[in-house]
Amino acid sequence: MKSTAAAKTRLTSLTEDASIIPEDAPFRSRLHYLFAQIEKEFEQLYLENLNLQDKLENATAITKESLTPYDQRSAAGGALVATGSGGASLAATPATPSAPLGDEIGASLLAAASSTHKSLKAKLSSATGGSKVKASNKIKAQTSRIVSSFKAQTVVSSVVREFGGHKDGIWQVAAKVGQPIIGTASADHTACIWGIESGRCLLQYQGHAGSVNSIKFHQCRDLVLTGSGDGTAHIWQAAVNWELPKKGHSSEEELDDSDGQLEDRERVDSLRTPLCEFTGPGGHLSVVVAADWLSSMDQIITGSWDRTAILWDVETAQPLQPLTGHDHELTHVSAHPTQRLVVTASRDTTFRLWDFRDPIPAVSVFQGHTETVTSSVFARNDKVVSGSDDRTIKVWELRNMRSALATIRTDSSVNRLAVSSGGIIAIPHDNRQIRLFDLNGQRVARLPRTSRQGHRRMVSSVAWSEEPVLNCDLFSCGFDRRVFGWSIVLPKDN
């Protein structure tokens, strides 16, 4: 979630005309364009090679001429001239009948000519050798650049599932471990549970009075945690009816059915009453922007625009401890999957690590971004990945909060990112793109976005499926009211 102004700006984007989005070139035309660029690169290399060869031949010819023995006497002065390596002229006095003097001068001139030959040969060898090395390095660089462009395309990705039916933008998507379902949190005040195989909405939660900003599944039980703009967090039962028909009306028709014309057996199950509501004295005073389960599943963490995060007890629904210190609104909270650690992100350009493993919690502040930190999540090997409106993603070591291990620079603001168990970062952007990077900051792929597949508005969230169903490895949602399931085949070295 962004600030109030930012949220209004993004909600206003829903009224934009989709026709302003240009259609991408056809796939075949794109291939022709790429091969034409490759051909152009090699043609340029060929011309540069010819030019270097001409220069080499000219230099060789000039050197041969300069090294030709010059022992003719001047008609006027009778002088013998040879040019030394330093550019000076060696001049002999006019020849005299004295034989010993002539022999001495001749010997001196031969020695000078020999020295000049060696010097020029060394210079020519150095010059031509350097040209060859430079040309070779340039060719290697050009070839490496072309080959690397092919390597970036080794990831095969495509949309294999699409889910539609929400009446407003979708803030977050989550995947359930062990079941073929996903959950979505929407600005239309509802949360939905979807069947991956059928693509249908199986359950709609209508218990919130405001935008549903986050959604998280319980690790083991059929429970869901949601945070809302109404200032509360709810836990509700996510028991779905698997007997819904797989054919017939679309999920969008089901959610739009206000006249009750569909048969009872085809209607979407709805739920309005939570099992547990986190509110009241000691609770948040403003929008709950995000919520997550702690690893023990007996506590939750919530973050709010009131600049605080709160640790809650699930059984009693009572606040255990407020977490204060951020200077501006919180934008995200995330808990470690196995340890009692929490990270909170804020508009104050920082994120904080809270350690609840000791009776007295410890806190560490991570500084490095220049704008709002929109999300921060845990990754393998004790790392944290943070994304920001400053268009960067940073990878941090938990033990080193002074500087990031890697910084990924992009061309658009970053929203709620996700890291797979294999260490691949999925990055959703404001500019409708989704990019994949590894934890070393190396680019893996950019998911395709055309007029037929991909988001048409801001991509607000992504979630990895650790147990892919129907080849759905990654899910994404956005303010085009759509959720996509992506099949992603990564190279073996990743």
Side-chain angles (χ1 to χ4, degrees), residues 138-159:
K138 194 167 186 178
I139 291 173
K140 287 181 180 179
Q142 295 280 3
T143 306
S144 176
R145 188 173 64 185
I146 295 172
V147 171
S148 64
S149 68
F150 280 112
K151 286 183 178 179
Q153 304 300 323
T154 55
V155 174
V156 180
S157 58
S158 62
V159 173

Side-chain angles (χ1 to χ4, degrees), residues 52 55-56 121-139:
L52 288 172
K55 288 182 179 180
L56 179 60
K121 186 175 181 181
K123 285 187 176 182
L124 178 62
S125 175
S126 174
T128 56
S131 298
K132 288 180 180 178
V133 171
K134 289 180 181 178
S136 175
N137 290 340
K138 194 167 186 178
I139 291 173

Side-chain angles (χ1 to χ4, degrees), residues 39-185:
E39 184 179 3
K40 185 177 179 181
E41 291 282 353
F42 278 109
E43 183 178 358
Q44 183 178 355
L45 288 175
Y46 175 72
L47 293 176
E48 289 178 355
N49 190 30
L50 289 179
N51 188 29
L52 288 172
Q53 188 174 357
D54 291 339
K55 288 182 179 180
L56 179 60
E57 291 176 355
N58 291 336
T60 304
I62 292 173
T63 304
K64 286 182 179 179
E65 291 178 1
S66 65
L67 294 179
T68 300
Y70 181 68
D71 54 359
Q72 296 179 352
R73 295 180 181 277
S74 171
L80 181 65
V81 180
T83 304
S85 61
S89 297
L90 299 176
T93 56
T96 62
S98 174
L101 180 59
D103 292 341
E104 185 177 348
I105 293 174
S108 299
L109 290 174
L110 286 175
S114 176
S115 174
T116 302
H117 176 272
K118 291 180 181 179
S119 177
L120 285 174
K121 186 175 181 181
K123 285 187 176 182
L124 178 62
S125 175
S126 174
T128 56
S131 298
K132 288 180 180 178
V133 171
K134 289 180 181 178
S136 175
N137 290 340
K138 194 167 186 178
I139 291 173
K140 287 181 180 179
Q142 295 280 3
T143 306
S144 176
R145 188 173 64 185
I146 295 172
V147 171
S148 64
S149 68
F150 280 112
K151 286 183 178 179
Q153 304 300 323
T154 55
V155 174
V156 180
S157 58
S158 62
V159 173
V160 293
R161 276 288 181 274
E162 182 175 348
F163 309 84
H166 279 293
K167 297 181 179 68
D168 207 336
I170 304 172
W171 283 117
Q172 190 167 25
V173 60
K176 172 71 171 176
V177 177
Q179 291 188 33
I181 57 175
I182 60 171
T184 53

Side-chain angles (χ1 to χ4, degrees), residues 334-339 341 343 376-386 394-399 405 417-426 437-442 444 464 466 490-494:
S334 181
H336 193 282
T338 59
Q339 302 183 53
L341 300 172
V343 283
S376 53
V377 298
F378 291 95
R380 65 181 187 180
N381 300 329
D382 292 331
K383 292 182 175 62
V384 175
V385 181
S386 60
K394 294 180 181 289
V395 181
W396 307 78
E397 178 72 39
L398 285 181
R399 301 177 186 86
L405 298 176
L417 52 80
V419 184
S420 72
S421 59
I424 301 299
I425 311 169
F437 283 79
D438 63 22
L439 291 174
N440 295 320
Q442 298 298 313
V444 176
W464 288 100
E466 300 303 336
L490 297 172
K492 292 183 179 180
D493 57 350
N494 283 331

Side-chain angles (χ1 to χ4, degrees), residues 317-380:
Q318 294 300 310
L320 297 176
Q321 184 174 0
L323 308 179
T324 59
H326 283 292
D327 296 329
H328 293 286
E329 296 93 333
L330 270 65
T331 57
H332 192 239
V333 297
S334 181
H336 193 282
T338 59
Q339 302 183 53
R340 293 179 58 79
L341 300 172
V342 168
V343 283
T344 58
S346 170
R347 288 185 60 245
D348 63 10
T349 74
T350 72
F351 72 92
R352 295 180 175 230
L353 171 68
W354 307 84
D355 189 346
F356 297 104
R357 292 175 295 187
D358 295 327
I360 301 178
V363 59
S364 302
V365 181
F366 290 75
Q367 298 176 322
H369 291 289
T370 58
E371 293 186 34
T372 297
V373 180
T374 54
S375 64
S376 53
V377 298
F378 291 95
R380 65 181 187 180

